[in-house]
Amino acid sequence: MDERSSGPEDASATALADDWSVLLAVTEQLNEATVREATLQAFLLAAPRRDEAEVVLCTVEHDAADKPEWLSVAVVRPAAVRPARAHVGGRYHLPDMPFSRVWLEQPGVPVLVGSAATDPRIDPVLRDMWAAAGIKAALMIALTLRGRVVGVFSIQWSCEVPLGPREQRIYQILSRNAALLLENMVIVDRLQAALAERSAPLIPITDDILVMPLIGTLDETRRARILEVALQGSSAARVTIIDITGVPSLDVHAAALLTSTAQALRLLGVLPILSGVRAEVARDLMSFGDALTGIVTCGTLQAGVEYALRQLGKSYSRAI
């Protein structure tokens, strides 16, 4: 009877089959994910000690010579067993991080650190920083698109982890997915910022008078933006007219926003005017009582502009 023992070829074939099985599972979960944290969760399917692993995706900003200069944390998926160590918005100056050269010099190739305490490539400053944060192992990949480093994908563990050829193979393939994910996130963030910028514009009608026309529902994101734009943009104005003709209804949060914004404008020495106040909106605002003291309300934008001009000693005809 001819019995054959499994050789290196069989082991290699088994490892390849296992790799593709994991990559297929990651791809399926990436396609099903609807939020960023779930997308990062998919990358953990290939990771050892998943419960101890935190996934961090960062963008890279370049200097005038197009060299990577700043690393900014874009999104974090914390480990299941502990709070997040990295924080969205954190920024790091790459020239001050000697270890960054290790992964910048081989973009797309995973840099494996199974033991942060003993890896000779890690400089003392980074070793102390990781020790303070409880990071004992890491995998890092410089992400590239069109030949340019655009970000960094990393997995950080709170325990030492044996990392080897399997992780090297799988995450080198997945680096392309991570780079495309990062690019999509940046595009979406820019679009959202542009839309937010346009959702609460300040329009000057004279050197002293600004109009903020609001249209649509005032959800939580828009409410924060409205207050920010009104206060920053009105510092040099004497009158700011907040026109709510295009707002279909006001809930208690939106009404509170309007009154608090108007009161804040008064503290800046700016006369606040609410225009486009319909009967049903007036009823919503009445519940704020004393908060409306000193705030002028007008039924139409034209009436608000005329009132503002009179207060400044100007005529309507000269303003237009």
Side-chain angles (χ1 to χ4, degrees), residues 130-143:
W130 278 8
I135 300 171
K136 297 184 178 180
L139 177 153
M140 306 183 75
I141 313 172
L143 305 176

Side-chain angles (χ1 to χ4, degrees), residues 33-50:
T34 57
V35 296
R36 293 178 178 181
E37 288 74 13
T39 304
L40 292 187
Q41 171 70 25
F43 287 99
L44 283 179
L45 291 176
R49 303 294 295 268
R50 297 179 206 167

Side-chain angles (χ1 to χ4, degrees), residues 23-34 38-43 45 174 177-178 181:
L23 289 169
L24 180 60
V26 172
T27 301
E28 289 178 349
Q29 190 163 323
L30 285 173
N31 291 334
E32 294 172 358
T34 57
T39 304
L40 292 187
Q41 171 70 25
F43 287 99
L45 291 176
L174 290 176
N177 300 76
L181 169 64

